[in-house]
Amino acid sequence: MEMASSPRSVEEIFKDYSARRTAVVRALTQDVDEFYGLCDPDKDNLCLYGHANESWEVTLPAEEVPPELPEPALGINFARDGMNRRDWLSLVAVHSDSWLLSVAFYLGARLNRNERKRLFSLINDLPTVFEVVTERKPIKDNKPTADSGSKSRGSAKRSSDGQVKSNPKFAADEGYEEEEDEHSETLCGSCGGNYNADEFWIGCDICERWYHGKCVKITPAKAESIKQYKCPSCSIRRSRP
């Protein structure tokens, strides 16, 4: 087990999360028969660990109290033979997602508010272990990096903390299920028009309203150079004495 003896950056924590997630996903997909066999209900309480070197392990929990890192779900082997195999794997996947998040935010205890937000945004760009195991979303070949964040094809802008802010509806990545009607009620703060995936949108960092780029005279190229966008209304309010 590893312990963060010194402060860690968002990039380091996300790299650690990604490696552990890769290991757990492998255990529950590619190596599933081996994993299933190791989870013998007649053995003591067993846990599924994903390690920072992308290896996985089914073993007893740490003996230290308190442990150096948050521990994964205990006794995953006991329910194996009492459930449908697919349902059991899905249950392990859900607990594994919870464990991966707990480790990431344990390591990020010293992060500030914006850093925590950026860390979660990076994590949220990846399908959960549950989504992969239940085939709700396929595994993405191209992992997001700590510098890329999430970026839609329709529009994107960077906020003051360096995080990429996307348009209300993410353009579906190749191989992903398109989330239809997720933002069908998003209206332009200027003209009141409905969201259209074919149009460029930009979000105000102050009031968090969304606007057609054409309504506020912002092009995609111009948006890339804006660190913090203020819509016309917020710009007027901020300029008043």
Side-chain angles (χ1 to χ4, degrees):
M1 302 297 290
E2 310 94 77
M3 174 65 180
S5 57
S6 59
R8 296 196 180 196
S9 66
V10 170
E11 291 76 13
E12 291 171 327
I13 297 170
F14 179 65
K15 182 178 179 181
D16 181 274
Y17 171 89
S18 297
R20 295 178 190 276
R21 174 189 170 277
T22 295
V24 171
V25 168
R26 184 182 299 116
L28 298 177
T29 55
Q30 297 172 8
D31 301 341
V32 66
D33 291 334
E34 180 185 355
F35 168 71
Y36 191 86
L38 290 171
C39 293
D40 186 345
D42 293 331
K43 294 182 179 180
D44 291 332
N45 293 299
L46 295 176
C47 301
L48 171 61
Y49 291 92
H51 297 303
N53 63 0
E54 298 191 3
S55 66
W56 61 269
E57 180 182 18
V58 173
T59 187
L60 296 172
E63 295 182 359
E64 313 88 300
V65 178
E68 292 184 346
L69 285 178
E71 287 288 296
L74 181 67
I76 58 172
N77 52 314
F78 293 151
R80 192 196 71 177
D81 292 348
M83 297 178 65
N84 172 277
R85 172 167 165 152
R86 184 179 179 85
D87 292 340
W88 176 73
L89 290 172
S90 298
L91 180 63
V92 175
V94 170
H95 281 291
S96 296
D97 280 319
S98 299
W99 173 67
L100 289 168
L101 284 173
S102 68
V103 171
F105 281 87
Y106 172 83
L107 296 176
R110 294 181 177 86
L111 298 179
N112 62 37
R113 181 172 179 267
N114 287 334
E115 289 171 333
R116 290 194 303 272
K117 184 178 180 180
R118 185 156 64 96
L119 174 61
F120 182 76
S121 177
L122 290 166
I123 290 173
N124 202 40
D125 278 340
L126 292 171
T128 64
V129 176
F130 176 76
E131 287 173 332
V132 174
V133 170
T134 59
E135 299 179 347
R136 295 196 176 196
K137 290 186 178 181
I139 302 173
K140 289 184 70 174
D141 292 327
N142 298 321
K143 297 178 182 177
T145 64
D147 292 327
S148 68
S150 62
K151 205 167 188 178
S152 69
R153 298 174 187 173
S155 67
K157 60 180 289 296
R158 289 188 179 276
S159 59
S160 57
D161 61 2
Q163 181 186 358
V164 175
K165 188 173 183 180
S166 314
N167 65 3
K169 179 182 170 104
F170 295 107
D173 289 333
E174 185 176 353
Y176 269 68
E177 299 173 0
E178 185 171 358
E179 298 174 4
E180 298 180 354
D181 300 326
E182 182 182 354
H183 294 281
S184 59
E185 296 180 2
T186 300
L187 303 178
C188 174
S190 178
C191 71
N194 290 320
Y195 170 76
N196 186 322
D198 296 326
E199 297 177 302
F200 173 76
W201 285 62
I202 189 166
C204 176
D205 284 313
I206 306 302
C207 67
E208 299 186 347
R209 290 191 181 93
W210 288 90
Y211 297 83
H212 290 111
K214 63 183 180 182
C215 289
V216 291
K217 298 181 179 179
I218 299 292
T219 64
K222 187 174 181 180
E224 289 295 330
S225 63
I226 299 175
K227 292 184 178 180
Q228 184 184 56
Y229 174 69
K230 296 179 184 177
C231 69
S233 297
C234 291
S235 296
I236 293 173
R237 283 198 294 267
R238 289 297 177 102
S239 64
R240 288 175 181 172

